[in-house]
Amino acid sequence: MEAEAAQSERFRAAVHYTVGCLCQEVGEDKEIEFSKQTIAAIAETTFRQCENFATDLELFAKHGKRTTVNTDDVKLLARRSKALLTFITEKCNDLASSNAEQKEKKALATGKGKKKSDGRLEPTVSESEDITID
């Protein structure tokens, strides 16, 4: 329990630091300053939203009778933001293509995979790596 609390505090501090850096960057670009209280409020809101996201992802996986969060769970989480959903879908497709290319190269190098009608090898392709829930 103590280790979990310490990890949570480290994550909270990392979020606060990152929010501070982003506020500084935006402030320089827009020629405005963010108060320490504003940065702390944004950081706390961000941290709590991340906790909510983690809980939702875990529940989506459990609802699907899985112990692993997959890309479909992440897409379901992002469903209310069309731009975010589009971005995540494109990234998933890019990763799947990249993984397929890497597996094809590996299969050709090791001589494993299914033979296509043109004589080339076609590796078995699976979706990108998932995250396992403890």
Side-chain angles (χ1 to χ4, degrees):
M1 211 55 172
E2 286 181 31
E4 192 174 302
Q7 186 177 15
S8 179
E9 285 306 310
R10 283 194 305 272
F11 181 59
R12 187 182 301 267
V15 168
H16 186 88
Y17 174 78
T18 303
V19 167
C21 291
L22 290 170
C23 286
Q24 183 178 1
E25 187 178 313
V26 169
E28 289 171 1
D29 186 46
K30 303 291 182 187
E31 297 179 6
I32 59 172
E33 263 189 60
F34 290 90
S35 69
K36 289 182 180 181
Q37 294 84 2
T38 301
I39 293 170
I42 294 170
E44 184 61 25
T45 302
T46 302
F47 181 80
R48 287 185 185 177
Q49 191 63 44
C50 287
E51 286 181 321
N52 291 337
F53 286 164
T55 300
D56 287 348
L57 288 170
E58 186 176 359
L59 291 173
F60 294 159
K62 283 184 180 179
H63 180 75
K65 297 179 179 33
R66 293 177 278 106
T67 57
T68 303
V69 172
N70 64 28
T71 55
D72 289 335
D73 298 324
V74 176
K75 290 176 188 176
L76 183 59
L77 182 71
R79 72 191 179 281
R80 291 193 179 109
S81 170
K82 184 173 171 128
L84 182 58
L85 181 59
T86 300
F87 178 80
I88 290 171
T89 301
E90 288 173 1
K91 288 297 176 188
C92 287
N93 292 340
D94 291 347
L95 285 171
S97 295
S98 176
N99 286 346
E101 289 171 10
Q102 288 176 357
K103 286 187 180 203
E104 186 172 341
K105 287 178 186 175
K106 186 176 181 180
L108 290 173
T110 61
K112 294 181 181 176
K114 297 179 186 174
K115 286 217 175 191
K116 290 184 173 182
S117 59
D118 62 0
R120 293 186 303 137
L121 291 175
E122 179 179 303
T124 306
V125 179
S126 62
E127 194 164 309
S128 62
E129 292 184 26
D130 296 326
I131 302 168
T132 302
I133 301 170
D134 291 328

